[in-house]
Amino acid sequence: MEMVVVAPPAPGRLEDLRRRFFATPLQAVLSLACLAIMVFLVWKLLNWAVFSAVFTTSGGPEACQAAAGACWSVIAARWRIIFFGLYPYEEQWRSALACVAVVVMTVLSCIPAFWTGRRIALVWGAGTSLFYVLMKGGVLGLAHVGEEAWGGLALTLFIFVTTCLIGFPLAICLALLRRSELPWISRTTGLIIDGVRSLPLISILFTFAVVLPFALPQWLQGDKLYRVILGSALFFSAYQAEIVRGGMQGVATGQEEAAMALGMRYWQRVSRILLPQAMRNAMPATINQFVISFKETSLVVIVGFFEILASGNAAYGTGEWRFAYVEVYAFIAFIYFIFVFSLSRYGAFLERRMSVSER
Amino acid sequence: MISTNSTGEPALRIENLDKYYGTFHALRGINLSVKRGEKIVVCGPSGSGKSTMIRCINRLEQHNGGRIEVLGTELNDDVGNIDEIRREVGMVFQHFNLFPHMTVLENCMISPMIVRKQPRAQAEATARLYLEKVRIPEQAMKYPSQLSGGQQQRVAIARALCMQPQIMLFDEPTSALDPEMVSEVLDVMVTLASEGMTMICVTHEMGFARRVADRMIFMDGGDIVEEASPDEFFTSSRNERTRQFLSQVLGH
């Protein structure tokens, strides 16, 4: 006789809910209590942020302060300071365009179709030079604006993107040098990486911004902004180098041997066989490092740069909006969230994409 | 320049080859000469130096003494010589070592394209030809992880052949395979042998050896203990250690 095996029917949604949350009387009570707390908190938050909030500037700060809910008027009144910092008022459209340029550049370089050496170089070259020309001006009839006046979101994005653009290739070089068969190379590199990692980022930024000018000749100093970016890139690369090296250690030794046996030279093996696999292994930790670096850009305030968080301070810092700091920080947190969350989702997309060829 | 004429000097000449791992003497003065088109099967107990010896031939291991000459070019510290020899010597590994991030087709095309500088169309045509030859043309667009062990090893053979090498080295190509997949790989190797490829195979597949080998080499303790034709080797071996090894391999 033929036996027919049938899987038990999947429980319906209601049945599933009952099993998970209302299996015993005690569990039912706990579930209901948690639900009540959650509803209460969400209602409180919505009430503050939406229902009792003031959105228009018409009543001025006083009417706003009197309201029971959030005072979003401060954003309507001060958003230019948050986004553009001290950048001259009439020229702020340039700063906005520069932000768009950086975002477009980043999004383009995230699309696999652009991952050839020439295309990526083109995107980055065009993006950064467009940003630089827009921000700095002095050509094409644009008024000159010095780096000391850059601020807000544009500055945050610029520091983050340049830190990664300089730091990432540097990290790969450091990781390769640390794997060198010559002990004096691998040990020296190890010493540099561990040395940089042992220092707080703030002290590195301070050294590059304030101390370095005493040690360097005038023509080598450059603007403070670029020294700070170099310091930040160095810090980034020290951490990222160890992440990349970890990824390389996960690549089977047979891969290198197979590539050698096929006649590939060192750089061909590194670029075609080792790095693609190592970066795949290192992907989750790499996204993590990008996220941390994005948030760490706020530290440049200690050497006198008004990136987005410091600009937020300035936005509520002047007399009449002094009470509305929660709203300003909530708004800035939201901006950070948008960028960091997109970064994480992109990481998840990459992992899915790469899992096709996983062993 | 490596010459391509099929007569004249041997494909491979090894003289007094010494290899140490630290203080361990892995190869003890090996001498071996292989003619073009000759098929050599190397066997011996594990740790006898068989793999080490063939890995010295394309410099995956660096020898410490003696002389290796491949297709008339001496293998020494000259990087140009090493590159030249590796282009002409294909290798198949026990664990396949396919590149997991590339499709089967890309695995076969990458080296001809970046090492031999072939145009993409030519590399692809060659790759499809050899995938046909190892009887898996329909798997070209898959990734290695989607194939069985036997299929992966056949891709590895095709990948090596795409470089159009003059010598093929096989380092225990069937040892990591499930038993039912061994024959599909051996069949490909038999075909290759019948077409006149110079082959040096480290393997314990004695049926294959009997069918294909021109010469059997038995190694033990880092030394070549016996060198004989297959007939002689399997039926009337003079050496005690060879007889013992054969009784263990063929015993059941």
Side-chain angles (χ1 to χ4, degrees):
Chain A
M1 191 185 135
E2 199 178 330
M3 283 255 290
V4 180
V5 183
V6 180
R13 197 167 276 181
L14 262 181
E15 174 62 15
D16 190 46
L17 264 182
R18 196 190 64 77
R19 278 194 209 165
R20 282 173 191 271
F21 299 108
F22 300 94
T24 66
L26 178 64
Q27 215 181 349
V29 169
L30 279 176
S31 298
L32 285 176
C34 290
L35 187 66
I37 293 174
M38 268 163 22
V39 168
F40 177 74
L41 286 178
V42 169
W43 183 79
K44 271 291 218 193
L45 188 67
L46 278 180
N47 189 38
W48 175 80
V50 182
F51 304 135
S52 314
V54 180
F55 290 94
T56 58
T57 43
S58 53
E62 293 76 19
C64 203
Q65 193 167 15
C71 171
W72 297 117
S73 334
V74 63
I75 308 301
R78 296 294 199 192
W79 64 274
R80 276 173 175 265
I81 295 188
I82 297 175
F83 279 120
F84 307 126
L86 302 173
Y87 208 78
Y89 191 87
E90 288 72 29
E91 309 289 340
Q92 282 175 0
W93 60 273
R94 284 162 49 186
S95 186
L97 272 187
C99 284
V100 173
V102 170
V103 170
V104 168
M105 169 179 104
T106 313
V107 169
L108 284 185
S109 53
C110 285
I111 298 172
F114 282 89
W115 292 348
T116 64
R118 194 178 302 170
R119 285 182 199 172
I120 209 92
L122 194 72
V123 168
W124 287 351
T128 40
S129 40
L130 189 60
F131 179 94
Y132 186 78
V133 168
L134 278 169
M135 289 298 280
K136 182 100 178 222
V139 289
L140 306 172
L142 299 171
H144 174 91
V145 180
E147 279 88 350
E148 67 284 350
W150 297 8
L153 185 62
L155 186 63
T156 294
L157 290 179
F158 184 63
I159 293 175
F160 171 66
V161 167
T162 44
T163 293
C164 297
L165 285 188
I166 300 168
F168 207 91
L170 191 59
I172 290 172
C173 291
L174 287 175
L176 288 173
L177 286 176
R178 194 162 191 179
R179 284 173 88 249
S180 166
E181 281 166 13
L182 305 174
W184 63 272
I185 290 184
S186 59
R187 283 204 201 121
T188 314
T189 316
L191 211 62
I192 293 172
I193 291 174
D194 291 340
V196 174
R197 289 200 303 168
S198 318
L199 297 170
L201 177 55
I202 289 197
S203 71
I204 290 181
L205 294 181
F206 191 77
T207 307
F208 274 75
V210 181
V211 182
L212 214 55
F214 294 114
L216 290 179
Q218 189 73 40
W219 57 271
L220 206 64
Q221 286 180 16
D223 188 85
K224 184 167 79 172
L225 178 59
Y226 304 112
R227 292 201 306 272
V228 165
I229 286 170
L230 272 187
S232 149
L234 184 67
F235 191 76
F236 174 86
S237 66
Y239 280 87
Q240 184 59 29
E242 288 296 277
I243 294 173
V244 173
R245 189 170 69 99
M248 288 172 177
Q249 279 171 342
V251 178
T253 48
Q255 294 289 308
E256 180 96 6
E257 288 181 352
M260 280 194 212
L262 286 167
M264 292 187 210
R265 303 224 166 120
Y266 178 77
W267 282 112
Q268 294 173 330
R269 298 198 299 267
V270 166
S271 63
R272 303 303 188 103
I273 308 301
L274 182 64
L275 276 181
Q277 295 184 61
M279 289 321 300
R280 174 175 322 193
N281 297 341
M283 185 55 66
T286 302
I287 294 291
N288 208 19
Q289 190 59 36
F290 275 113
V291 166
I292 291 171
S293 301
F294 187 80
K295 293 191 280 194
E296 276 177 348
T297 52
S298 59
L299 290 178
V300 297
V301 69
I302 67 127
V303 288
F305 286 112
F306 284 83
E307 45 64 63
I308 191 161
L309 191 60
S311 303
N313 273 328
Y316 72 79
T318 53
E320 47 185 350
W321 294 105
R322 195 166 283 268
F323 63 92
Y325 57 90
V326 176
E327 288 81 349
V328 170
Y329 283 131
F331 182 67
I332 292 171
F334 180 65
I335 295 172
Y336 271 103
F337 180 81
I338 289 175
F339 281 99
V340 172
F341 193 72
S342 326
L343 212 56
S344 314
R345 293 324 301 160
Y346 178 63
F349 157 75
L350 278 188
E351 277 177 52
R352 267 200 311 282
R353 186 176 183 276
M354 290 169 163
S355 70
V356 183
S357 52
E358 231 160 48
R359 271 174 291 189
Chain B
M1 190 61 206
I2 287 174
S3 57
T4 46
N5 63 343
S6 52
T7 52
E9 89 272 340
L12 170 69
R13 188 188 292 138
I14 294 176
E15 288 166 1
N16 290 319
L17 183 66
D18 273 310
K19 170 73 188 169
Y20 293 85
Y21 291 110
T23 55
F24 175 67
H25 202 167
L27 295 178
R28 299 165 180 265
I30 301 263
N31 286 292
L32 177 68
S33 182
V34 180
K35 291 197 288 284
R36 284 173 190 269
E38 202 176 8
K39 288 109 192 101
I40 308 280
V41 167
V42 184
C43 60
S46 85
S48 60
K50 340 179 266 300
S51 285
T52 307
M53 181 186 74
I54 74 164
R55 285 163 60 86
C56 281
I57 297 172
N58 63 352
R59 196 82 164 185
L60 292 184
E61 304 286 350
Q62 201 169 334
H63 57 280
N64 306 107
R67 196 179 144 81
I68 302 177
E69 211 175 274
V70 185
L71 301 160
T73 304
E74 196 195 339
L75 193 56
N76 48 25
D77 288 332
D78 185 328
V79 181
N81 283 5
I82 297 175
D83 283 343
E84 204 168 313
I85 287 169
R86 281 180 179 163
R87 279 198 292 273
E88 303 298 333
V89 178
M91 188 166 199
V92 174
F93 300 85
Q94 181 178 1
H95 295 288
F96 330 139
N97 299 352
L98 293 176
F99 305 131
H101 57 300
M102 299 178 187
T103 63
V104 163
L105 192 63
E106 287 166 343
N107 263 280
C108 295
M109 287 165 62
I110 174 113
S111 214
M113 279 172 65
I114 68 176
V115 177
R116 288 228 190 260
K117 313 285 183 209
Q118 284 181 11
R120 171 172 285 273
Q122 186 191 344
E124 182 169 341
T126 314
R128 292 199 184 272
L129 183 76
Y130 282 110
L131 286 174
E132 189 92 43
K133 200 180 171 84
V134 300
R135 292 172 219 133
I136 35 175
E138 72 285 357
Q139 313 284 6
M141 301 319 283
K142 286 193 181 168
Y143 285 93
S145 60
Q146 296 167 300
L147 305 184
S148 72
Q151 291 173 325
Q152 290 193 45
Q153 193 61 298
R154 284 185 282 152
V155 172
I157 294 173
R159 176 176 72 175
L161 291 176
C162 281
M163 284 293 283
Q164 285 157 334
Q166 303 189 41
I167 302 176
M168 284 286 285
L169 308 175
F170 292 84
D171 189 1
E172 306 206 24
T174 56
S175 307
L177 293 176
D178 291 333
E180 77 271 22
M181 293 172 182
V182 169
S183 65
E184 63 190 61
V185 171
L186 292 180
D187 284 348
V188 167
M189 291 168 65
V190 169
T191 310
L192 194 59
S194 70
E195 290 167 359
M197 176 64 77
T198 311
M199 292 163 70
I200 303 172
C201 313
V202 173
T203 182
H204 292 157
E205 296 294 336
M206 291 304 146
F208 168 79
R210 224 189 272 259
R211 246 175 102 185
V212 164
D214 295 319
R215 197 160 22 129
M216 296 294 298
I217 291 199
F218 179 74
M219 287 182 73
D220 192 21
D223 229 338
I224 293 182
V225 176
E226 186 160 1
E227 225 181 306
S229 71
D231 275 350
E232 205 179 328
F233 184 80
F234 288 109
T235 53
S236 53
S237 176
R238 287 151 301 191
N239 189 285
E240 174 57 30
R241 277 181 289 177
T242 313
R243 282 202 301 272
Q244 195 189 343
F245 174 78
L246 281 177
S247 75
Q248 281 163 346
V249 177
L250 303 172
H252 46 108

